[in-house]
Amino acid sequence: MILGVVELIAGCSLFAGGTFGRIVGLIAASLGALGALLAVGGAYPFWALGAFAICIICIHGLVVLGEPEEAH
């Protein structure tokens, strides 16, 4: 329950443009990705791979958040 509240606060921080949300989001998505990789050998391996993919997409989005776009 406490982790959910912390992640909710981090999400609000992301909407406001704060760095706290990026850091907490990266940590949560990294832990989720590790947990999903550990679950690949379980009963639902494709579900775990899907969760891993979503975590990687979240990590990528948080890393490139706010980078200036290149002029073409």
Side-chain angles (χ1 to χ4, degrees), residues 9-55:
I9 293 170
C12 293
S13 174
L14 272 175
F15 281 124
T19 306
F20 173 75
R22 285 179 75 174
I23 301 299
V24 172
L26 282 170
I27 292 170
S30 299
L31 291 176
L34 288 174
L37 280 180
L38 290 174
V40 168
Y44 302 106
F46 292 114
W47 182 263
L49 288 175
F52 175 73
I54 290 173
C55 288

Side-chain angles (χ1 to χ4, degrees), residues 43-65:
Y44 302 106
F46 292 114
W47 182 263
L49 288 175
F52 175 73
I54 290 173
C55 288
I56 294 300
I57 291 169
C58 289
I59 291 171
H60 176 264
L62 289 170
V63 168
V64 300
L65 178 72

